């Protein structure tokens, strides 16, 4: 069977048309592997007319090069596009339904690309054109869920554990079908809540485990089932479930992972478990979602490692894994980063400048976006622990702009644009408020209902100091908490010193109080970071006078590509391609773990392209 991506790529073969219009309501071209294979073509999304026209004209009128353009519309009717394009272009229509015509079209249209990947590798048999037959086939053969074999609580728990392990976005239609089926079979438990909320399911397992240990491991309990025990053990190893602290060491050895009488050993075991997961993921890390998983797991492992360094002064726990992750990430980033900028995902912004687009689709009366400047997944793991008792966090990831500078990546969040579109302010954040209000006005929210605040997170929390909370008419709020970034630039003890300082800050409760007040006032609250940070060692200061436009500890920016390339010869560095950046914005970044500072000096900084700087949290936060 021809893979679905190849069927799509077959429509874009040389000789290329100078201009191709694509109707893509199913967003098949929002796939980084397809986009990466269309490097000879320039893709432009038709969403906002003004931005589109600017991008189209800038690409179409370059006298020194011939550009073959693909203009992608999410509309089913290409007649919505400007007539001067429509009248001369080649036209292509993409639909998921013609990729898998034997299945119910309205179900297939809701499937994500990971599910399509599995579908491409199997052969369908029989009549599957009805909605019920298609859903049944997908549940059994694609998701691997023998849902009609569920008769007991043990069966149900195993199936729901498998459900939450699925690495794909499951359509509501399929989710509801499964809920209705299981509700009929398992009547005494909140199956719907367990399926729709991973947090609720984990909370149930944690409560059951606590009672299981307190009851001295009763043999009738479901946790003795070897299959349940195997999955539960992984949840403890991953840090999803917390072990119960006991004073004695006489317990069934098969449950060692869920018992804690030696916290240091438990943390070391958690790091080993996370390293095993990272090894598995790295073996097949070929898409953006897998790298977000890796960033999150690595961040959690490094956070635990920092806790152990405080206790036992061992800084080498993750050194080899860090080198392997960074080497693999650099290779993947070089090949695929350029394909990310135009991609869309309904759950989280693929790149941070898509945050407004994602929030707009949430259709909530009041939305607050907290931009936690400089927050990496390492620090998020620490913050998530502090929030766990009072808040429920749905964690996703997003890609920052490179160079990972505040004026570049944070400004892209507030403008909703690639950096090339705010060329005149790329070295400052002074225009963020105006850009934030402008982008929401384009999306139908008058500026009088939009607020912007910066410099939050310092000192004692005072509700009266948060303008968003004192103005009742605010519908969209952008709030910058820059504590992490401030700590980054002032730490003298590396990330270990940051970890200690963040712990102090979290104990003061500023972030928790801000979240509580926003939620209590009716805001749907999201948190995002503009870039992360990286502990690095100095390789020597560059001696290039006043040539760079921007100097950072891990990045230098030049207006002239020749000057950039000359500087690259002088010291350990990497020339960055400039995806999405202004034409005369030429970037030189430090190698992973290195900085353009005095040789041997340890700093925590940003600007480069390490996984800790580039992949950042995007989190939906609710009260428990």
């Amino acid at each position: 069977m021809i893979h679905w991506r190849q069927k799509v790529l077959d429509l874009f073969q040389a000789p290329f048309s100078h201009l191709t219009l694509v109707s893509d309501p199913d967003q098949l071209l929002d796939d980084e592997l397809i986009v990466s294979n269309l490097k000879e073509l320039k893709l432009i999304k038709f969403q906002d007319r003004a931005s589109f026209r600017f991008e189209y004209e800038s690409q179409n009128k370059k006298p020194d090069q011939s550009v073959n353009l693909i203009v992608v519309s999410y509309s089913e009717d290409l007649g919505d596009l400007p007539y001067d394009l429509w009248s001369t272009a080649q036209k292509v229509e993409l639909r998921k339904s013609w990729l898998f015509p034997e299945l119910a079209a309205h179900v297939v249209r809701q499937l994500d690309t990971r599910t399509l990947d599995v579908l491409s590798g199997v052969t369908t048999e029989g009549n599957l054109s009805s909605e019920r037959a298609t859903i049944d086939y997908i549940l059994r053969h694609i998701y691997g869920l023998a849902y009609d074999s569920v008769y007991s609580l043990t069966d149900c728990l195993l199936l729901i554990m498998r459900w939450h392990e699925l690495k794909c976005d499951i359509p509501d239609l399929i989710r509801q079908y499964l809920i209705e089926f299981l509700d009929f079979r398992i009547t005494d438990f909140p199956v719907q809540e367990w399926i729709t909320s991973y947090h609720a399911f984990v909370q149930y397992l944690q409560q059951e485990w606590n009672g299981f240990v307190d009851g001295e491991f009763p043999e009738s309990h479901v946790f003795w089932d070897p299959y349940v025990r195997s999955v539960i053990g992984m949840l403890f190893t991953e840090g999803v479930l917390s072990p119960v602290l006991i004073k004695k060491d006489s317990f069934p050895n098969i449950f060692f992972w869920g018992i804690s009488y030696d916290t240091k050993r438990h943390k070391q075991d958690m790091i080993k478990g996370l390293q095993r997961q990272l090894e598995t993921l790295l073996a097949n890390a070929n898409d953006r979602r897998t790298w977000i998983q890796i960033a999150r797991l690595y961040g959690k492992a490094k956070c635990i490692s920092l806790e152990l360094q405080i206790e036992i002064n061992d800084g080498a726990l993750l050194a080899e894994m860090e080198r392997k992750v960074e080497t693999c990430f650099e290779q993947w980033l070089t090949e695929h980063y350029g394909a990310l900028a135009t991609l869309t995902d309904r759950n989280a912004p693929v790149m941070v400048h898509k945050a407004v687009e994602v929030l707009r689709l949430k259709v909530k009366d009041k939305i607050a976006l907290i931009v936690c400047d400089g927050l990496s997944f390492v620090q998020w793991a620490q913050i998530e622990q502090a929030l766990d008792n009072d808040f429920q966090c749905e964690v996703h990831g997003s890609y920052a702009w490179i160079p990972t500078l505040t004026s570049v990546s944070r400004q892209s969040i507030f403008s909703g644009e690639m950096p090339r579109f705010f060329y005149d302010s790329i070295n400052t954040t002074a225009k963020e408020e105006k850009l934030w209000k402008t982008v929401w006005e384009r999306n139908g929210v008058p500026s009088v209902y939009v607020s912007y605040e910066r410099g939050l997170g310092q000192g004692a929390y005072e509700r009266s100091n948060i303008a968003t909370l004192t103005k009742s008419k605010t519908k969209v709020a952008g709030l910058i908490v820059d504590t992490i970034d401030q700590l980054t630039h002032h730490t003298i003890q590396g990330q270990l010193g940051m970890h200690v300082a963040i712990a102090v800050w979290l104990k003061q409760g500023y972030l928790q109080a801000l979240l509580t007040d926003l939620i209590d006032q009716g805001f749907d609250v999201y948190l995002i970071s503009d870039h992360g940070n990286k502990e690095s060692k100095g390789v020597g200061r560059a001696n290039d006078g006043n040539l760079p436009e921007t100097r950072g500890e891990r990045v230098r920016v030049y207006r002239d590509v020749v000057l950039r390339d000359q500087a690259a010869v002088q010291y350990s560095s990497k020339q960055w391609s400039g995806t999405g950046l202004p034409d005369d914005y030429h970037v030189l970044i430090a190698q992973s773990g290195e900085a353009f500072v005095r040789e041997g000096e340890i700093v925590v900084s940003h600007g480069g392209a390490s996984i800790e700087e580039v992949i950042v949290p995007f989190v939906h936060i609710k009260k428990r």
Side-chain angles (χ1 to χ4, degrees):
M1 178 182 291
I2 300 175
H3 195 278
W4 71 269
R5 285 192 183 87
Q6 190 57 53
K7 292 181 182 180
V8 173
L9 290 170
D10 286 345
L11 298 173
F12 304 97
Q13 298 296 319
F16 302 112
S17 171
H18 173 63
L19 178 62
T20 302
L21 306 184
V22 180
S23 169
D24 186 22
D26 297 340
Q27 301 182 18
L28 288 167
L29 293 183
D30 279 345
D31 176 80
E32 67 266 30
L33 297 180
I34 287 181
V35 176
S36 295
N37 278 281
L38 295 175
K39 291 180 179 178
E40 297 180 65
L41 304 169
K42 172 67 179 179
L43 270 68
I44 304 176
K45 296 290 181 68
F46 181 81
Q47 292 172 302
D48 175 78
R49 281 183 175 270
S51 297
F52 164 76
R53 183 58 73 173
F54 175 84
E55 178 76 354
Y56 174 74
E57 296 296 340
S58 64
Q59 292 295 331
N60 201 37
K61 293 185 176 181
K62 291 182 177 180
D64 58 333
Q65 54 184 293
S66 176
V67 180
N68 297 311
L69 299 176
I70 295 179
V71 177
V72 183
S73 170
Y74 293 148
S75 172
E76 295 189 2
D77 184 7
L78 288 174
D80 294 340
L81 294 171
Y83 182 75
D84 62 317
L85 277 66
W86 184 89
S87 60
T88 60
Q90 174 182 319
K91 302 171 186 67
V92 173
E93 290 189 353
L94 295 179
R95 302 289 187 274
K96 288 179 181 176
S97 58
W98 62 255
L99 295 173
F100 303 96
E102 67 278 11
L103 302 176
H106 69 286
V107 178
V108 172
R109 186 171 188 178
Q110 298 178 51
L111 301 177
D112 73 343
T113 56
R114 289 189 172 187
T115 306
L116 299 185
D117 288 344
V118 183
L119 267 175
S120 285
V122 298
T123 302
T124 57
E125 297 179 356
N127 183 4
L128 302 176
S129 60
S130 71
E131 176 184 293
R132 181 169 182 172
T134 295
I135 292 176
D136 176 76
Y137 181 82
I138 291 169
L139 284 170
R140 291 171 180 276
H141 300 284
I142 307 304
Y143 297 161
L145 300 174
Y147 67 99
D148 61 340
S149 299
V150 173
Y151 290 99
S152 66
L153 176 61
T154 300
D155 297 336
C156 184
L157 291 178
L158 285 169
L159 182 130
I160 294 176
M161 288 173 184
R162 169 62 180 154
W163 170 269
H164 287 297
E165 289 175 353
L166 294 173
K167 305 303 181 184
C168 56
D169 296 328
I170 302 169
D172 292 339
L173 189 69
I174 296 178
R175 181 182 291 107
Q176 192 57 39
Y177 177 93
L178 182 61
I179 289 171
E180 291 175 3
F181 183 91
L182 293 179
D183 271 343
F184 180 76
R185 289 278 182 93
I186 308 295
T187 58
D188 297 330
F189 295 91
V191 171
Q192 178 171 349
E193 186 178 19
W194 290 352
I195 288 178
T196 56
S197 171
Y198 182 56
H199 174 266
F201 183 59
V202 168
Q203 191 173 40
Y204 166 79
L205 294 176
Q206 184 71 66
Q207 291 171 350
E208 279 295 300
W209 179 258
N210 294 347
F212 179 61
V213 176
D214 290 344
E216 298 187 349
F217 313 95
E219 294 184 4
S220 60
H221 201 283
V222 67
F223 288 149
W224 282 98
D225 181 273
Y227 298 106
V228 174
R229 191 169 69 238
S230 175
V231 179
I232 289 288
M234 285 302 300
L235 294 178
F236 278 104
T237 302
E238 295 169 12
V240 175
L241 294 175
S242 300
V244 174
L245 181 64
I246 62 174
K247 295 181 179 180
K248 57 183 179 179
D249 58 3
S250 56
F251 56 85
N253 289 333
I254 56 174
F255 296 120
F256 72 93
W257 27 254
I259 301 298
S260 177
Y261 59 93
D262 183 342
T263 57
K264 294 177 185 176
R265 178 179 174 180
H266 176 68
K267 289 176 181 178
Q268 290 170 332
D269 288 341
M270 283 184 65
I271 290 177
K272 291 176 182 177
L274 290 166
Q275 285 180 313
R276 287 193 293 270
Q277 289 185 73
L278 286 167
E279 291 280 4
T280 300
L281 290 171
L282 285 171
N284 193 32
N286 59 2
D287 66 80
R288 59 181 171 85
R289 295 182 182 90
T290 302
W291 277 108
I292 289 172
Q293 287 179 264
I294 291 171
R296 189 178 179 191
L297 289 174
Y298 177 73
K300 183 178 292 187
K302 194 162 188 179
C303 179
I304 298 169
S305 175
L306 290 170
E307 293 174 6
L308 279 171
Q309 285 182 54
I310 296 170
E311 297 174 12
I312 61 178
N313 193 30
D314 184 354
L317 289 169
L318 277 176
E320 183 58 37
M321 178 57 68
E322 180 172 354
R323 283 190 289 270
K324 187 169 185 178
V325 168
E326 291 294 4
T327 299
C328 294
F329 183 65
E330 180 181 356
Q331 180 179 350
W332 180 87
L333 202 67
T334 300
E335 297 175 2
H336 297 283
Y337 185 79
L340 301 179
T342 61
L343 303 186
T344 300
D345 190 308
R346 64 182 179 179
N347 295 315
V350 177
M351 291 193 69
V352 295
H353 72 287
K354 293 280 190 175
V356 170
E357 181 179 297
V358 171
L359 296 179
R360 177 177 57 84
L361 297 175
K362 300 299 181 183
V363 196
K364 298 292 184 179
D365 291 336
K366 299 170 74 174
I367 289 176
L369 179 66
I370 298 174
V371 180
C372 205
D373 196 329
L375 177 73
S376 77
F377 263 112
V378 178
Q379 289 89 44
W380 168 251
Q382 185 179 3
I383 290 174
E384 189 175 20
Q385 291 179 37
L387 299 181
D388 188 59
N389 288 332
D390 301 310
F391 300 93
Q392 177 180 338
C393 298
E394 180 184 335
V395 184
H396 300 276
S398 187
Y399 288 77
W401 277 97
I402 302 172
T404 48
L405 296 171
T406 300
S407 63
V408 177
S409 204
R410 195 178 84 186
Q411 195 168 186
S412 77
I413 295 174
F414 285 106
S415 67
E417 300 281 9
M418 300 182 196
R420 69 162 65 246
F421 290 109
F422 49 84
Y423 168 82
D424 61 337
S425 62
I426 198 167
N427 293 318
T428 177
T429 59
K431 292 187 176 181
E432 281 182 342
E433 181 172 7
K434 181 180 179 181
L435 292 168
W436 178 242
K437 292 183 176 181
T438 299
V439 71
W440 279 106
E441 280 194 323
R442 288 206 307 264
N443 284 283
V445 183
S447 61
V448 68
Y449 298 114
V450 180
S451 69
Y452 167 92
E453 298 177 68
R454 62 193 300 171
L456 305 180
Q458 305 297 315
Y461 176 79
E462 291 289 344
R463 187 183 190 280
S464 59
N465 292 334
I466 311 298
T468 296
L469 298 171
T470 59
K471 297 179 180 178
S472 59
K473 60 184 178 182
T474 301
K475 294 183 178 180
V476 176
L479 307 104
I480 300 171
V481 174
D482 59 3
T483 305
I484 304 298
D485 199 54
Q486 292 290 330
L487 293 174
T488 296
H489 293 295
H490 292 95
T491 186
I492 58 173
Q493 296 293 330
Q495 285 187 331
L496 183 61
M498 278 188 66
H499 187 88
V500 174
I502 291 170
V504 173
W505 179 65
L506 289 169
K507 284 182 180 180
Q508 294 171 348
Y510 188 107
L511 181 61
Q512 297 91 321
L514 176 62
L515 291 170
T516 298
D517 284 346
L518 287 169
I519 295 170
D520 287 348
Q521 196 150 315
F523 284 94
D524 197 29
V525 178
Y526 294 82
L527 181 148
I528 193 172
S529 173
D530 54 344
H531 58 75
N533 56 78
K534 177 75 174 176
E535 180 174 307
S536 305
K537 188 174 184 178
V539 293
R541 299 185 185 277
N543 183 24
D544 49 4
N546 296 320
L547 297 179
E549 182 76 14
T550 299
R551 288 185 183 83
E553 292 175 333
R554 283 186 41 78
V555 64
R556 301 175 92 76
V557 179
Y558 299 80
R559 290 299 185 193
D560 189 313
V561 68
V562 174
L563 297 178
R564 190 274 308 270
D565 293 346
Q566 288 175 349
V569 179
Q570 296 181 28
Y571 42 84
S572 177
S573 59
K574 179 180 178 180
Q575 296 128 304
W576 185 247
S577 64
T579 298
L581 301 173
D583 292 337
D584 63 348
Y585 195 87
H586 305 289
V587 178
L588 192 67
I589 56 177
Q591 300 286 0
S592 179
E594 297 181 353
F596 304 137
V597 298
R598 180 169 48 85
E599 188 170 354
E601 181 181 356
I602 301 298
V603 297
V604 181
S605 189
H606 55 91
S610 70
I611 193 170
E612 292 179 56
E613 293 166 291
V614 174
I615 302 182
V616 295
F618 177 77
V619 189
H620 187 196
I621 302 176
K622 302 177 182 178
K623 287 177 72 174
R624 287 198 186 280

